[in-house]
């Protein structure tokens, strides 16, 4: 079995600036990278040690269920994996409900598993 490593959790905050202030200015987490602005939805990855969070404003998409939860705006746990296709095949063989691997707009590949309650776990590689 592959050794999954928690990469980050994802939040679509109701107030992006307040969330950035909390994680960056309040908790002291460092900005790893950011995107958007100038009329585009903003996003920021922050972290402290091995803990990471990605904050992102809602962006145009046909289907937000892969990133924003089946029942609304829940955090999504993201796991780094060395071999995305092998991990996908392994979990697909178990019959887990999955979204197929695909390229992301932030430059990685991922697939998403949904647990019976609709919580999402994303498996991702560069």
């Amino acid at each position: 079995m592959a050794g999954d490593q928690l990469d980050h959790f994802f939040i679509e905050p109701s107030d992006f600036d307040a969330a950035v202030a909390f994680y960056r200015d309040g908790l002291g987490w460092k900005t790893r990278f950011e995107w958007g602005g100038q009329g585009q939805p903003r996003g920021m990855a922050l972290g402290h040690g091995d803990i990471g969070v990605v904050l992102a404003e809602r962006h145009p998409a046909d289907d937000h269920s892969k990133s924003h939860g089946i029942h609304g705006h829940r955090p999504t746990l993201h796991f780094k994996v060395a071999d995305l296709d092998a991990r996908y095949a392994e979990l697909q063989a178990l019959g887990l409900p999955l979204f197929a691997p695909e390229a992301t707009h932030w430059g990685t590949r991922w697939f998403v598993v949904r647990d019976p309650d609709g919580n999402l776990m994303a498996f991702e590689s560069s």
Side-chain angles (χ1 to χ4, degrees):
M1 178 180 284
D4 301 328
Q5 177 185 356
L6 181 63
D7 184 52
H8 68 275
F9 58 99
F10 173 89
I11 297 174
E12 181 186 289
S14 59
D15 183 330
F16 182 80
D17 295 317
V20 168
F22 174 80
Y23 285 98
R24 185 187 62 201
D25 306 331
L27 296 180
W29 290 17
K30 303 294 181 207
T31 301
R32 293 180 174 166
F33 62 92
E34 55 189 300
W35 66 91
Q38 300 178 352
Q40 296 296 315
R42 298 173 295 166
M44 182 179 290
L46 301 107
H48 178 72
D50 290 337
I51 302 171
V53 62
V54 171
L55 307 171
E57 292 179 311
R58 192 164 185 84
H59 59 276
D62 293 332
D63 180 5
H64 281 275
S65 65
K66 296 177 185 175
S67 58
H68 299 89
I70 301 303
H71 300 294
H73 306 285
R74 298 182 184 185
T76 301
L77 297 176
H78 287 248
F79 297 91
K80 283 188 213 179
V81 293
D83 187 334
L84 187 77
D85 295 315
R87 187 66 169 132
Y88 176 79
E90 185 178 45
L91 296 179
Q92 185 180 41
L94 297 172
L96 297 177
L98 304 171
F99 295 104
E102 63 185 7
T104 66
H105 68 273
W106 56 90
T108 64
R109 287 185 65 234
W110 75 341
F111 69 88
V112 180
V113 176
R114 179 181 63 221
D115 78 7
D117 293 315
N119 299 306
L120 301 179
M121 291 170 280
F123 293 81
E124 193 166 0
S125 68
S126 333

